Amino acid sequence: MTTIDKSGYTSSRKREHLEICCEKPVESGFSGFEDIRLVHNALPECDMNNIDRGAEFLGYELSSPLFIAAMTGGHSDTAEVNAVLAEAAEHFNIGMGVGSQRAALENPELEDSFTIVRERAPGAFLCGNLGAVQLAEKGPEWADRAVEMIDAEALCIHLNPLQEAIQPEGDHNSGGCLEAIRDLCLSSKYPVIVKETGCGISGETAKMLCDAGVSAIDTGGLGGTSWAAVEALRADSDLLARMGDDFNDWGIPTAVSLMEVADCGVPVIATGGLKSGIDIAKSVALGASLGGMALKLLKPAMKSREALFEEIELINRELTVAMYLTGSGNLAELSKVGAYITGKTAQMKNRMEMNKIWK
Amino acid sequence: MTTIDKSGYTSSRKREHLEICCEKPVESGFSGFEDIRLVHNALPECDMNNIDRGAEFLGYELSSPLFIAAMTGGHSDTAEVNAVLAEAAEHFNIGMGVGSQRAALENPELEDSFTIVRERAPGAFLCGNLGAVQLAEKGPEWADRAVEMIDAEALCIHLNPLQEAIQPEGDHNSGGCLEAIRDLCLSSKYPVIVKETGCGISGETAKMLCDAGVSAIDTGGLGGTSWAAVEALRADSDLLARMGDDFNDWGIPTAVSLMEVADCGVPVIATGGLKSGIDIAKSVALGASLGGMALKLLKPAMKSREALFEEIELINRELTVAMYLTGSGNLAELSKVGAYITGKTAQMKNRMEMNKIWK
Amino acid sequence: MTTIDKSGYTSSRKREHLEICCEKPVESGFSGFEDIRLVHNALPECDMNNIDRGAEFLGYELSSPLFIAAMTGGHSDTAEVNAVLAEAAEHFNIGMGVGSQRAALENPELEDSFTIVRERAPGAFLCGNLGAVQLAEKGPEWADRAVEMIDAEALCIHLNPLQEAIQPEGDHNSGGCLEAIRDLCLSSKYPVIVKETGCGISGETAKMLCDAGVSAIDTGGLGGTSWAAVEALRADSDLLARMGDDFNDWGIPTAVSLMEVADCGVPVIATGGLKSGIDIAKSVALGASLGGMALKLLKPAMKSREALFEEIELINRELTVAMYLTGSGNLAELSKVGAYITGKTAQMKNRMEMNKIWK
Amino acid sequence: MTTIDKSGYTSSRKREHLEICCEKPVESGFSGFEDIRLVHNALPECDMNNIDRGAEFLGYELSSPLFIAAMTGGHSDTAEVNAVLAEAAEHFNIGMGVGSQRAALENPELEDSFTIVRERAPGAFLCGNLGAVQLAEKGPEWADRAVEMIDAEALCIHLNPLQEAIQPEGDHNSGGCLEAIRDLCLSSKYPVIVKETGCGISGETAKMLCDAGVSAIDTGGLGGTSWAAVEALRADSDLLARMGDDFNDWGIPTAVSLMEVADCGVPVIATGGLKSGIDIAKSVALGASLGGMALKLLKPAMKSREALFEEIELINRELTVAMYLTGSGNLAELSKVGAYITGKTAQMKNRMEMNKIWK
Ligand SMILES: Cc1cc2nc3c(=O)[nH]c(=O)nc-3n(C[C@H](O)[C@H](O)[C@H](O)COP(=O)(O)O)c2cc1C
Ligand SMILES: Cc1cc2nc3c(=O)[nH]c(=O)nc-3n(C[C@H](O)[C@H](O)[C@H](O)COP(=O)(O)O)c2cc1C
Ligand SMILES: Cc1cc2nc3c(=O)[nH]c(=O)nc-3n(C[C@H](O)[C@H](O)[C@H](O)COP(=O)(O)O)c2cc1C
Ligand SMILES: Cc1cc2nc3c(=O)[nH]c(=O)nc-3n(C[C@H](O)[C@H](O)[C@H](O)COP(=O)(O)O)c2cc1C
């Protein structure tokens, strides 16, 4: 089973899923960060050792804009990975999202692989996770239960139409999702974040989400893990394999999505193909509050706690260096740093400028 | 013999022709679709299973904008392929064009390979096919006979000046063709579609055709089957081979042609290098009513009925997914979806914008 | 010896020079024609067999805009190649330039390799050839003698500063050349054409030449035979080899040069990297009166008369096809055909537009 | 040890450092010169043999704009290289910068490797070298001592935040540097040049430096020696290696930096990835007074005096040829020559134009 969110995983499968992502070429498309270059400041008026990476997000204070994007949970053998990720979230005081909680909502025996996250990260900013389609089906109560399950600070509602669509047995109806999100935003006591999972959010969609009352948006753009690529790799039929191949470049590159979404009125997480602390810096300079990573953190997390901690230290350090080299003492300053935008990304930026949907 | 439309084919030749197209690298140039990216809608307000792919074309209701572009007929051993294609047209309720009927008009014994199409597709939208040069030579009567032969819903008049021109024995005179098309449009009771066969239709040519009264235009643009490439492959002289090589990149990429032609006032079929259902979706978003495919369907059709049906199912499904992922419940909505236009295609788009020939 | 124009060649050397050009990779840079695409006319209102390739140039009627660019002469063993080229000029009624006549002007014994050109092409449009530096040194009398030597219709004054400059023993002073050209234009009874030899003519230089009274300009632009490459290949010192390598991309691509020069007020020959009859068509569409080729014709000319004739037939035919496919019954019509300009060439075009030197 | 400026080098290390730069792939990024093409002047109204390469810089007359960028000194076994470089500076009457003098300021026994420079170049324009961070720490007195040590005509203050930042033990605080530079400019009797070392100077930084009173700016841009690449090569930890890899493309390409800095009000040296005399010509045409080279001169200097002299002769010669081919009798004329700007560099140029920070 390769859907992000399907109940009834057997043990081996949930784990296998993680393994495919770690071992096979599941990344595709381009994120647009290749076309972004921050303006170097040769004379940064600050002390790198005092740079404040601290990020404010939805009222919470995080020590870094690095966000551990939603990945796993739902079966006992994914608990281990979730535990390691949670320990990192706690240790580094960074935000973390769990994978879709649907399985555990349907089958409470599977909750352990989620509850362990709060156990290991008692003080961290944690986000629950539920598909928009499930939300529309089951109503706000499921959302509340997902939040309660891990005592989450916020809930991520994921949009995943590509993967669902290319699977014959996927959820093919997202009608009513926007309405369900609007309802949830009205009723919920916790902030609601809406995220894509690899195809990005357009300016138009962001506007609708903001109007619906979401607290934040996660771009989940093209350029990193591609669910179409995963499907193609796992396909048991030729038809599914070709469908996956044909769609693995579908979507809005993360940097483009970010530029479209940045001014929509709510904080934005840039996720999708971020490769280094430099990409997080670029994200903040283009308007993001946080920069999320999934695959890049999954690989070391599957190895060991140490490997993951080292990776995060490197990413944080690179971010600090990039902040220093742009003369940014904190994220607010980084968000004002100039950037060179070239290539296709510059051309794609034009679409929104010509439409000027925010004005 | 490699012309699209030459009488006197021997059995082996007509068939051989199809085989070359299936086995050799006959595609060349670029279609421009590589430079087009539809704006992903992460929150499609529709149910994919209820998406209506239905296309209205010249007053006929088709179940999908996929159009089987003109390919073959004219000898008994092509009847088999035509039969399979026709069965698909009937089964999927999609439009289909037959190959040039010239041979059968000249030699009624060859009609079988065309009439089988109507036999197998009694309810389908079928287009007859005649070269503009033959039309100019023989007058509207031949056009009427072509339509009658297969009881066609419409007639495609093909323009094929590149292939004719590079062949020493080709038709080298298309003078009077426009006049002949105008006359036909005035007198005929069936709609007349004018199509290119791989070099595209410019905005200027489209305007002339519309003024002449055509009912629809088929871009037949660069980026797919290249008749110059076919000629180069089959050439028995060095000179012809080099001519083919030098001209195999000649023409207007399909996406560019489509953007030039889209506003001309009549419905447009985008053909030339479409590779998937996604390309059909892009075509519709750029203004096409239908998206035609020749080579991509010929290959499975040469294998088996099953292979062709599977291919069409895949294409239809990809189109549906692309519609879903752009939040388009039907083609009218798809036609309003935004697109990112990058690379050379964006640069080429400027020509028409600077000329603004429609305003 | 590798200069275009040096007296004292020994027999083997002049010939060797031609051989290097035929056998080694002497082409470099890009001509810009890759970035030009003519607008296909699917419905050409003309008969290809009646297309008139006829070019008017400086009052002479030529049968094709193909021009045999200046190449050789100056030693008995180059006479053969010149003879073959001349026979082609005569046979096809196209223009031809001889190589630099300096050697023969200094040493009349060498005249045979030039006079044979007129012998074999009694009715052709022939251009004498002299370096601007020699003109400045020796005065208009040498120019007159060069013209008389082959009873030329016009005289090409070549500009060759790159090759001269990178050779330690080259002519390093082109001061006074413009003045000398002005004087010649005033006094001469024959038209004076100024040509580059691989680095192109800028809009600014063209303006100065027009003001000086030249009758025509030959772009001799980047993208074909590179004298810096030739020098690098023949260099006996490392220093000269590196100099050649570093400069072999120097200059203005032919298509860019042509666009800069096209409006300067005198007819223009586009030379430098033209590869086919299509490139000649592109040249005319961009404003050239003729399209010159050196290397592309040298190779077959070194083989045989037949090979050269075939090559020219192919080029002429390709031009005719390109004219047909743009609906151009003659060169005047071709010169009004639209083109797509993409890539770096489109960017380079901006320089002149921003400067608007002609307005 | 790989920092540019760290005291306590052991003999082998300083030398080893030079060797790595000569033997390993330490260059990275792109300089932007690839995207710049000078407008060829086919009719240069000058005598190449009389071209005046003479550059005026800060009141000194140099025979060429080629500048030997700061490289070495600080240990006895680097004295040899410095001696050879100095002899070239003297012989060719070009400017030269020594490497960071910090070590010798801390430990006067190491002065010999610097003082030899003045001994061998008694008449040359020499620049002392000190890090901005050291200046801020030790005050203007150290700057004065550095100048006195080699009786320098000017002092280069280098900015090196990238290399310092990625080294755990580097100087991580450049706060106060601008203030220290301002103080030095006020008090010093010698001109103060501020230079980067591979990441470039932005227009904004240049403006601050000019306001602070610097006499000149050296871009030290991206595209040549990359200290991040050097660090990655020498890294003893994985973390440092990946940091180096991730940052080796960081910075502003030299040509872009030059265009941003050119109008800031003080003379500019273009350094970073210059590969030939043509790049020096491009630099001057884009607004630089001098063009600096480090790596390109280090390699021959490590071989022999002869190798270095030959290299400089070639560079000077190429510059002369480029001046000739743009019709520039001197650098003032070269600075007015037009250029084609293409590719990413053209896109990056927009940033400043949109910001128009000088107006
Ligand atoms: C193994 C794996 C599992 C994922 N599962 C979920 C999920 O359950 N819910 C969700 O919202 N996103 C899920 N995602 C998507 C990520 O949160 C993220 O949006 C996407 O992978 C892009 O980031 P990346 O390029 O850094 O991997 C998953 C990603 C991976 C790699
Ligand atoms: C084997 C073959 C035969 C064709 N014969 C005809 C024809 O007889 N008449 C015609 O109008 N077009 C003909 N075409 C052109 C197609 O209708 C279509 O315009 C062109 O191939 C571009 O589409 P493609 O890239 O999908 O192949 C033929 C194409 C193929 C591949
Ligand atoms: C072998 C050879 C010799 C040439 N000799 C001359 C010459 O003597 N005088 C001249 O004006 N140009 C000379 N040229 C330059 C050509 O006229 C032409 O401008 C240049 O080669 C660019 O055209 P191409 O790319 O088609 O070769 C010569 C070119 C070649 C290949
Ligand atoms: C071996 C080496 C040592 C260097 N040491 C210094 C130094 O001590 N101080 C300094 O300001 N720059 C130093 N630089 C930087 C150069 O001055 C120059 O800015 C940079 O290398 C870019 O030029 P390039 O691409 O021509 O090498 C050094 C460069 C090299 C290659």
Side-chain angles (χ1 to χ4, degrees):
Chain A
M1 278 299 275
T2 54
T3 40
I4 287 175
D5 184 9
K6 283 286 167 214
S7 54
Y9 275 95
T10 65
S11 161
S12 56
R13 276 195 174 160
K14 269 269 179 188
R15 182 86 192 175
E16 194 196 329
H17 193 192
L18 298 179
E19 276 156 11
I20 283 188
C21 280
C22 286
E23 286 156 24
K24 298 251 172 95
V26 297
E27 293 172 286
S28 78
F30 81 112
S31 69
F33 288 114
E34 311 82 336
D35 288 333
I36 309 289
R37 186 177 286 275
L38 295 180
V39 179
H40 176 68
N41 183 337
L43 207 52
E45 270 301 299
C46 55
D47 179 350
M48 191 170 86
N49 297 334
N50 289 337
I51 278 180
D52 180 7
R53 276 189 312 250
E56 196 274 343
F57 189 67
L58 301 178
Y60 295 86
E61 304 290 338
L62 307 171
S63 299
S64 163
L66 169 60
F67 182 81
I68 304 175
M71 275 180 280
T72 199
H75 195 281
S76 52
D77 64 0
T78 64
E80 200 188 308
V81 176
N82 255 351
V84 169
L85 292 167
E87 288 170 23
E90 180 73 17
H91 177 83
F92 291 101
N93 184 30
I94 57 180
M96 168 177 172
V98 298
S100 171
Q101 293 169 263
R102 175 185 181 175
L105 289 169
E106 288 175 346
N107 179 359
E109 278 173 32
L110 300 171
E111 284 190 4
D112 290 4
S113 57
F114 292 107
T115 52
I116 195 170
V117 171
R118 177 52 83 200
E119 279 159 34
R120 301 293 172 92
F125 176 82
L126 295 183
C127 298
N129 192 289
L130 196 63
V133 176
Q134 277 75 54
L135 177 68
E137 248 175 56
K138 308 285 183 169
E141 191 208 358
W142 264 40
D144 295 348
R145 280 179 54 205
V147 167
E148 280 154 26
M149 192 189 301
I150 59 166
D151 190 17
E153 274 70 24
L155 180 67
C156 286
I157 300 296
H158 71 248
L159 310 176
N160 189 24
L162 171 57
Q163 192 189 12
E164 296 292 347
I166 63 183
Q167 286 190 318
E169 73 284 10
D171 284 308
H172 293 171
N173 185 354
S174 58
C177 285
L178 183 60
E179 205 47 45
I181 290 169
R182 193 190 318 271
D183 288 349
L184 179 64
C185 291
L186 275 175
S187 68
S188 77
K189 306 213 178 71
Y190 42 85
V192 173
I193 304 168
V194 173
K195 75 186 290 281
E196 240 288 346
T197 52
C199 296
I201 306 251
S202 70
E204 292 86 345
T205 300
K207 194 165 159 40
M208 292 194 307
L209 289 171
C210 288
D211 291 348
V214 304
S215 297
I217 288 175
D218 181 330
T219 59
L222 181 71
T225 311
S226 156
W227 293 103
V230 172
E231 293 301 322
L233 285 166
R234 300 204 37 164
D236 39 21
S237 82
D238 252 25
L239 193 133
L240 188 52
R242 277 191 46 203
M243 189 96 106
D245 280 343
D246 286 348
F247 276 97
N248 79 24
D249 185 44
W250 178 275
I252 310 174
T254 301
V256 175
S257 173
L258 176 53
M259 290 188 288
E260 295 201 4
V261 168
D263 295 330
C264 71
V266 301
V268 177
I269 308 177
T271 308
L274 276 72
K275 299 264 185 299
S276 69
I278 301 176
D279 285 343
I280 296 184
K282 290 178 181 178
S283 296
V284 173
L286 294 181
S289 294
L290 304 181
M293 290 183 176
L295 195 63
K296 194 85 183 135
L297 299 177
L298 180 61
K299 292 184 182 190
M302 296 279 280
K303 268 204 220 141
S304 70
R305 190 180 185 277
E306 287 64 43
L308 178 63
F309 277 44
E310 259 185 33
E311 186 67 33
I312 293 178
E313 254 153 33
L314 175 64
I315 292 166
N316 270 341
R317 192 167 175 81
E318 289 184 335
L319 167 62
T320 304
V321 169
M323 291 177 73
Y324 182 59
L325 297 180
T326 54
S328 311
N330 53 48
L331 294 190
E333 288 172 24
L334 178 56
S335 74
K336 291 186 194 106
V337 159
Y340 300 97
I341 306 181
T342 54
K344 280 200 277 189
T345 303
Q347 289 182 301
M348 295 178 87
K349 190 168 177 273
N350 283 338
R351 188 186 74 92
M352 286 305 281
E353 270 158 22
M354 274 156 45
N355 294 2
K356 289 199 188 74
I357 67 161
W358 304 121
K359 284 134 216 176
Chain B
M1 277 297 275
T2 55
T3 40
I4 288 174
D5 185 7
K6 284 284 167 216
S7 54
Y9 275 93
T10 65
S11 160
S12 57
R13 274 193 175 162
K14 269 268 179 186
R15 181 87 191 172
E16 192 196 330
H17 193 191
L18 298 179
E19 277 156 9
I20 284 188
C21 280
C22 287
E23 287 157 23
K24 299 252 171 97
V26 297
E27 293 172 285
S28 78
F30 81 113
S31 69
F33 288 114
E34 311 83 334
D35 288 333
I36 308 288
R37 185 177 287 275
L38 295 181
V39 179
H40 176 67
N41 183 339
L43 206 52
E45 272 301 300
C46 54
D47 178 352
M48 192 170 86
N49 297 335
N50 289 335
I51 278 181
D52 178 8
R53 275 188 316 249
E56 195 275 344
F57 190 67
L58 301 178
Y60 294 86
E61 305 291 338
L62 307 171
S63 299
S64 162
L66 169 60
F67 182 82
I68 304 175
M71 274 179 284
T72 198
H75 195 281
S76 51
D77 63 1
T78 64
E80 198 188 310
V81 176
N82 255 351
V84 169
L85 291 169
E87 288 170 23
E90 180 72 17
H91 178 84
F92 292 100
N93 183 31
I94 57 179
M96 168 177 171
V98 298
S100 171
Q101 293 169 263
R102 175 185 181 176
L105 289 168
E106 287 175 345
N107 179 358
E109 279 173 32
L110 301 172
E111 283 189 6
D112 291 4
S113 56
F114 292 107
T115 53
I116 195 169
V117 170
R118 178 50 84 199
E119 280 159 35
R120 301 294 171 92
F125 176 83
L126 295 183
C127 299
N129 192 289
L130 196 64
V133 176
Q134 277 75 55
L135 176 70
E137 249 175 54
K138 308 285 184 171
E141 190 209 356
W142 264 41
D144 295 349
R145 281 181 51 208
V147 166
E148 281 154 26
M149 192 189 300
I150 60 167
D151 190 17
E153 274 70 24
L155 180 66
C156 286
I157 300 296
H158 72 248
L159 310 176
N160 189 23
L162 170 57
Q163 191 190 14
E164 296 291 347
I166 63 182
Q167 286 189 316
E169 74 284 8
D171 284 309
H172 293 170
N173 186 355
S174 57
C177 285
L178 183 60
E179 204 48 43
I181 289 168
R182 192 188 319 271
D183 290 349
L184 179 63
C185 293
L186 275 176
S187 69
S188 77
K189 307 214 178 68
Y190 42 83
V192 173
I193 304 168
V194 173
K195 75 184 292 281
E196 241 287 344
T197 52
C199 296
I201 306 250
S202 71
E204 292 86 345
T205 299
K207 194 166 159 41
M208 292 194 307
L209 288 169
C210 288
D211 291 349
V214 305
S215 297
I217 289 174
D218 181 330
T219 59
L222 181 71
T225 310
S226 156
W227 292 103
V230 172
E231 293 302 323
L233 284 166
R234 300 203 38 162
D236 41 20
S237 82
D238 253 24
L239 194 133
L240 187 51
R242 277 190 49 201
M243 190 95 107
D245 281 342
D246 286 347
F247 276 96
N248 79 24
D249 185 44
W250 178 276
I252 309 176
T254 300
V256 175
S257 173
L258 175 53
M259 291 188 286
E260 295 201 4
V261 167
D263 295 330
C264 72
V266 301
V268 177
I269 307 178
T271 308
L274 277 72
K275 300 264 185 297
S276 69
I278 302 177
D279 286 344
I280 296 185
K282 290 178 181 179
S283 297
V284 174
L286 294 181
S289 294
L290 304 180
M293 290 184 176
L295 195 62
K296 192 85 182 134
L297 300 177
L298 180 61
K299 292 184 181 189
M302 296 279 280
K303 267 202 221 144
S304 71
R305 192 180 183 277
E306 288 63 43
L308 178 63
F309 276 44
E310 261 186 30
E311 185 68 32
I312 292 177
E313 255 153 33
L314 175 64
I315 292 165
N316 269 342
R317 190 163 176 82
E318 287 184 337
L319 168 61
T320 304
V321 170
M323 290 177 74
Y324 182 59
L325 297 180
T326 54
S328 311
N330 53 48
L331 293 190
E333 287 171 25
L334 179 56
S335 75
K336 290 185 195 108
V337 159
Y340 301 97
I341 306 181
T342 54
K344 280 200 278 188
T345 302
Q347 289 182 302
M348 294 178 87
K349 190 168 176 270
N350 283 337
R351 188 186 75 92
M352 286 304 282
E353 270 158 22
M354 275 156 45
N355 295 2
K356 290 197 188 74
I357 67 161
W358 305 121
K359 284 131 215 178
Chain C
M1 277 299 276
T2 55
T3 40
I4 287 174
D5 183 8
K6 283 287 166 211
S7 55
Y9 275 93
T10 65
S11 159
S12 57
R13 277 193 172 162
K14 270 268 179 188
R15 181 86 190 174
E16 193 196 328
H17 192 190
L18 297 180
E19 278 157 9
I20 284 188
C21 280
C22 286
E23 286 157 25
K24 299 253 171 96
V26 298
E27 293 171 285
S28 78
F30 80 113
S31 69
F33 288 113
E34 310 84 336
D35 288 333
I36 309 288
R37 186 177 287 273
L38 295 181
V39 178
H40 176 69
N41 183 338
L43 207 52
E45 272 301 300
C46 53
D47 178 352
M48 191 170 88
N49 297 334
N50 289 337
I51 278 181
D52 179 8
R53 277 189 313 249
E56 195 275 344
F57 189 68
L58 301 177
Y60 294 85
E61 304 291 339
L62 307 171
S63 298
S64 164
L66 169 61
F67 182 82
I68 304 176
M71 274 180 282
T72 197
H75 196 281
S76 51
D77 62 2
T78 65
E80 200 187 307
V81 176
N82 256 350
V84 169
L85 291 168
E87 287 170 24
E90 182 72 18
H91 178 83
F92 291 100
N93 184 31
I94 57 179
M96 167 178 172
V98 298
S100 170
Q101 294 169 264
R102 176 185 181 176
L105 289 168
E106 285 175 348
N107 180 356
E109 279 173 30
L110 301 171
E111 284 189 2
D112 290 4
S113 57
F114 292 106
T115 52
I116 194 170
V117 171
R118 178 51 83 201
E119 280 161 33
R120 300 292 173 91
F125 176 81
L126 295 183
C127 299
N129 191 289
L130 196 63
V133 176
Q134 277 76 55
L135 176 69
E137 246 176 57
K138 307 286 184 170
E141 190 209 357
W142 263 40
D144 295 348
R145 280 181 51 209
V147 167
E148 281 156 24
M149 193 189 298
I150 60 167
D151 190 18
E153 275 70 24
L155 180 65
C156 286
I157 301 295
H158 71 250
L159 310 176
N160 189 24
L162 170 58
Q163 191 188 16
E164 297 291 348
I166 62 181
Q167 287 190 314
E169 73 286 8
D171 283 308
H172 292 171
N173 186 355
S174 57
C177 284
L178 183 60
E179 205 47 46
I181 290 169
R182 193 190 318 272
D183 288 350
L184 179 64
C185 291
L186 275 176
S187 69
S188 76
K189 307 214 178 70
Y190 42 85
V192 173
I193 304 167
V194 173
K195 77 186 288 283
E196 239 289 345
T197 52
C199 296
I201 306 248
S202 70
E204 293 87 344
T205 299
K207 194 166 159 42
M208 292 194 306
L209 289 170
C210 287
D211 291 348
V214 304
S215 297
I217 289 175
D218 181 330
T219 59
L222 182 70
T225 311
S226 156
W227 293 104
V230 171
E231 292 301 322
L233 285 166
R234 301 205 35 163
D236 41 20
S237 83
D238 253 24
L239 194 133
L240 188 51
R242 278 191 46 201
M243 189 95 107
D245 281 342
D246 286 347
F247 276 96
N248 78 25
D249 184 44
W250 179 274
I252 309 175
T254 300
V256 176
S257 174
L258 175 52
M259 290 188 286
E260 295 201 3
V261 167
D263 295 329
C264 73
V266 301
V268 176
I269 308 177
T271 309
L274 277 71
K275 300 263 183 299
S276 69
I278 302 177
D279 286 343
I280 296 184
K282 290 178 181 179
S283 297
V284 173
L286 294 181
S289 295
L290 304 181
M293 289 183 177
L295 195 62
K296 193 87 182 129
L297 300 177
L298 179 61
K299 291 183 181 190
M302 297 279 281
K303 268 204 219 140
S304 71
R305 190 179 183 279
E306 286 64 42
L308 178 64
F309 277 43
E310 260 186 31
E311 185 69 31
I312 293 176
E313 255 153 34
L314 175 63
I315 292 166
N316 270 343
R317 190 163 176 81
E318 288 184 335
L319 168 62
T320 303
V321 170
M323 291 177 72
Y324 182 59
L325 297 180
T326 54
S328 311
N330 54 47
L331 294 190
E333 287 172 24
L334 179 57
S335 74
K336 290 185 196 107
V337 159
Y340 301 97
I341 307 181
T342 55
K344 280 201 278 188
T345 302
Q347 290 182 300
M348 296 178 84
K349 190 167 175 270
N350 283 339
R351 189 186 74 92
M352 287 305 281
E353 270 158 24
M354 276 156 44
N355 295 2
K356 291 197 185 74
I357 68 163
W358 304 122
K359 285 132 214 179
Chain D
M1 280 296 278
T2 54
T3 41
I4 289 173
D5 183 8
K6 284 285 167 209
S7 54
Y9 276 93
T10 65
S11 160
S12 56
R13 278 193 173 161
K14 270 269 179 188
R15 183 82 192 177
E16 194 196 327
H17 192 191
L18 298 180
E19 277 157 9
I20 283 187
C21 280
C22 286
E23 287 156 24
K24 299 250 171 97
V26 297
E27 293 172 284
S28 78
F30 81 112
S31 70
F33 288 114
E34 310 82 337
D35 288 332
I36 308 288
R37 186 176 285 275
L38 295 180
V39 179
H40 176 67
N41 183 338
L43 208 52
E45 270 304 297
C46 55
D47 179 351
M48 190 170 88
N49 298 333
N50 289 336
I51 278 181
D52 180 8
R53 276 189 313 250
E56 196 274 345
F57 189 68
L58 301 177
Y60 294 86
E61 305 290 338
L62 307 171
S63 299
S64 163
L66 169 61
F67 182 81
I68 304 175
M71 275 181 280
T72 198
H75 196 281
S76 51
D77 65 1
T78 65
E80 201 187 307
V81 176
N82 255 350
V84 169
L85 292 168
E87 286 171 24
E90 181 73 18
H91 178 83
F92 291 102
N93 184 30
I94 57 180
M96 167 178 174
V98 298
S100 170
Q101 294 168 265
R102 175 185 180 176
L105 289 169
E106 286 175 346
N107 179 358
E109 278 173 31
L110 301 172
E111 283 190 4
D112 290 6
S113 58
F114 292 106
T115 53
I116 194 170
V117 171
R118 178 51 83 199
E119 280 160 33
R120 299 295 172 90
F125 176 81
L126 296 183
C127 299
N129 191 291
L130 196 63
V133 176
Q134 277 75 55
L135 176 69
E137 246 176 55
K138 307 287 184 168
E141 190 208 358
W142 263 41
D144 295 348
R145 279 179 53 207
V147 168
E148 279 155 26
M149 193 190 298
I150 60 167
D151 191 17
E153 274 71 22
L155 181 66
C156 286
I157 300 295
H158 70 249
L159 310 175
N160 189 24
L162 170 57
Q163 192 189 12
E164 297 291 348
I166 63 182
Q167 287 189 317
E169 73 285 10
D171 284 308
H172 294 171
N173 186 353
S174 58
C177 285
L178 184 60
E179 204 48 46
I181 290 169
R182 193 189 318 272
D183 289 349
L184 179 64
C185 292
L186 275 176
S187 69
S188 77
K189 307 213 179 68
Y190 43 85
V192 173
I193 304 167
V194 173
K195 77 187 287 284
E196 239 289 344
T197 52
C199 296
I201 306 248
S202 71
E204 293 86 344
T205 300
K207 193 165 158 47
M208 291 195 307
L209 289 169
C210 288
D211 291 349
V214 304
S215 296
I217 288 174
D218 181 330
T219 59
L222 181 71
T225 311
S226 155
W227 292 102
V230 171
E231 292 301 322
L233 285 166
R234 300 204 37 164
D236 40 22
S237 82
D238 253 24
L239 192 133
L240 188 51
R242 279 190 45 200
M243 189 96 108
D245 281 344
D246 286 346
F247 276 97
N248 78 24
D249 185 43
W250 178 274
I252 309 174
T254 300
V256 176
S257 173
L258 175 53
M259 290 188 287
E260 294 202 5
V261 167
D263 295 329
C264 72
V266 301
V268 176
I269 308 178
T271 308
L274 277 71
K275 300 265 184 297
S276 70
I278 301 175
D279 284 343
I280 296 184
K282 290 177 182 178
S283 297
V284 173
L286 294 181
S289 295
L290 305 180
M293 289 184 176
L295 195 63
K296 194 86 182 131
L297 299 177
L298 180 61
K299 291 184 181 189
M302 297 280 281
K303 267 205 219 141
S304 70
R305 189 181 185 277
E306 287 64 42
L308 178 64
F309 277 44
E310 260 186 32
E311 185 69 32
I312 292 177
E313 255 153 33
L314 174 63
I315 292 166
N316 269 342
R317 191 162 175 84
E318 289 185 334
L319 167 62
T320 303
V321 170
M323 291 177 72
Y324 182 60
L325 296 180
T326 54
S328 311
N330 53 48
L331 295 190
E333 288 172 23
L334 179 57
S335 74
K336 290 186 196 107
V337 158
Y340 301 96
I341 306 182
T342 54
K344 281 200 277 188
T345 302
Q347 289 181 300
M348 295 179 85
K349 190 167 176 271
N350 283 339
R351 189 187 74 93
M352 287 305 281
E353 269 157 24
M354 275 156 44
N355 295 2
K356 290 199 187 74
I357 69 163
W358 304 122
K359 283 135 215 173

